[in-house]
Amino acid sequence: EQYEEIKRAFLLLEKLFAEGDHGTRDLVGLVFLKPCRFSLLVRPYGNKVFEHYLGAMSKQCWKEIQRQRAGKSNLMDVIRSESQGD
């Protein structure tokens, strides 16, 4: 049952990506996927555990977040990079 709730949440996110406007897609990426991805980095199971729940558009956003994080050793490096416009 717990996994079904997770699956439903990700299905809703995918629907918002598919049917939402640009602002909605940005909001889903910035408010849910990005914090989710970074918070999972400190977990022993990592963030890959949720990848199979992602739909096509969510995966694209997930990969972009991963690309932005490349070469950064921690969340502060990412925040610093974003504030400098890298």
Side-chain angles (χ1 to χ4, degrees), residues 28-42:
V28 170
L30 292 172
V31 173
F32 182 77
L33 288 178
K34 193 169 191 174
C36 179
R37 186 154 173 76
F38 287 122
S39 68
L40 293 171
L41 291 174
V42 298

Side-chain angles (χ1 to χ4, degrees), residues 12-85:
L12 175 60
L13 291 174
E14 188 65 20
K15 182 176 180 170
L16 290 170
F17 266 124
E19 297 175 4
D21 60 14
H22 182 71
T24 301
R25 290 190 299 272
D26 282 351
L27 190 64
V28 170
L30 292 172
V31 173
F32 182 77
L33 288 178
K34 193 169 191 174
C36 179
R37 186 154 173 76
F38 287 122
S39 68
L40 293 171
L41 291 174
V42 298
R43 304 284 186 222
Y45 47 80
N47 56 31
K48 293 196 180 292
V49 71
F50 288 109
E51 288 183 0
H52 71 277
Y53 290 111
L54 299 172
M57 296 182 83
S58 300
K59 276 185 187 172
Q60 184 177 352
C61 181
W62 195 260
K63 288 179 182 180
E64 176 61 20
I65 294 166
Q66 182 178 15
R67 186 194 64 74
Q68 291 171 354
R69 190 185 179 281
K72 317 279 187 316
S73 61
N74 58 48
L75 182 55
M76 281 310 299
D77 287 346
V78 174
I79 293 169
R80 198 173 301 113
S81 173
E82 288 176 350
S83 68
Q84 295 170 354

